[in-house]
Amino acid sequence: MVPSQWKTAVITPVAKVKQLAQPSDFRPISVTPVLSRMLERFIVKSFIYPAIQLPNSKLFFDDQYAFKPTGSTTAKLVAILHTVSNMLSSNPYVRVFSLDFSKVFNIVGHNTLMEKLSELSIPDHIYNCIHNRTHSTKFAKKVSKVSAVTASIIEGSGLGPAAYLVTAADL
C-alpha cells in the first residue's frame, strides 16, 4: 500500500511575469513528496521499462525514442535523417511533417493511461500504486480541498515520461 499522502501533489502558482494581470500570468508547479518521486522512479525503472521491452499486440514501442532508457531525441533525428536520405535516393522530394508536443502532459487522460498500463505485464500491486492520484492548490497560505486528478501528468513526477510513452504507444 502506498500512503495517500504520497499520491497527493500540492500545486503552487508561480508568477511568470513581473506585473500580474490575469490567471495565465502564473505557472502551476506541482510538488510531490520526495519519497513518492523515489518510489515512482523505482517503479518505472524496475517494472514499466522492462514491460515495454516485451512484445505486445496492442501497444507498439519500437518507433518511440523519447523517454526510453535507450532512446533520445538525437537518436530520433538521426533515424529521420537516415530515412529521408534513403528516400531521396529514389524520389525527387520527401515531405516531413513535424508536430509540437510541448503541452502533451496536460492532456493525458488517466482512464486511457490506466487502460494502456493494464496491457503491460506489470504486477497488480504496481498498477494499483500508480492509480488514484490527487492534488490540491496552495495560494497565499491557503490550501484548497484535495480532489482527484483525472487528466494530465504531474510535472516533476517520476511517472510522467513513462506515462506519456505508454499513452502514445498506439498512436
Side-chain angles (χ1 to χ4, degrees), residues 30-46:
S30 297
V31 180
T32 56
V34 173
L35 291 175
S36 174
R37 288 193 303 274
M38 290 173 61
L39 175 63
E40 290 170 348
R41 287 185 185 120
F42 173 78
I43 288 171
V44 168
K45 186 177 178 181
S46 302

Side-chain angles (χ1 to χ4, degrees), residues 84-170:
V84 168
S85 297
N86 285 341
M87 293 175 84
L88 284 172
S89 66
S90 60
N91 296 297
Y93 61 90
V94 175
R95 291 186 181 154
V96 177
F97 295 92
S98 177
L99 303 173
D100 179 9
F101 290 107
S102 61
K103 300 287 184 188
V104 74
F105 291 120
N106 298 340
I107 59 169
V108 173
H110 284 214
N111 289 339
T112 303
L113 171 61
M114 298 314 290
E115 183 179 306
K116 291 179 183 181
L117 278 172
S118 70
E119 296 292 328
L120 297 177
S121 296
I122 58 175
D124 288 343
H125 66 280
I126 297 299
Y127 177 86
N128 292 332
C129 285
I130 297 168
H131 200 38
N132 296 327
R133 299 293 169 145
T134 58
H135 63 185
S136 65
T137 301
K138 182 178 182 180
F139 185 71
K141 297 185 181 181
K142 293 185 180 185
V143 180
S144 71
K145 68 177 185 172
V146 175
S147 61
V149 178
T150 58
S152 82
I153 299 300
I154 294 173
E155 195 173 328
S157 75
L159 292 171
Y164 171 72
L165 180 65
V166 170
T167 302
D170 63 350

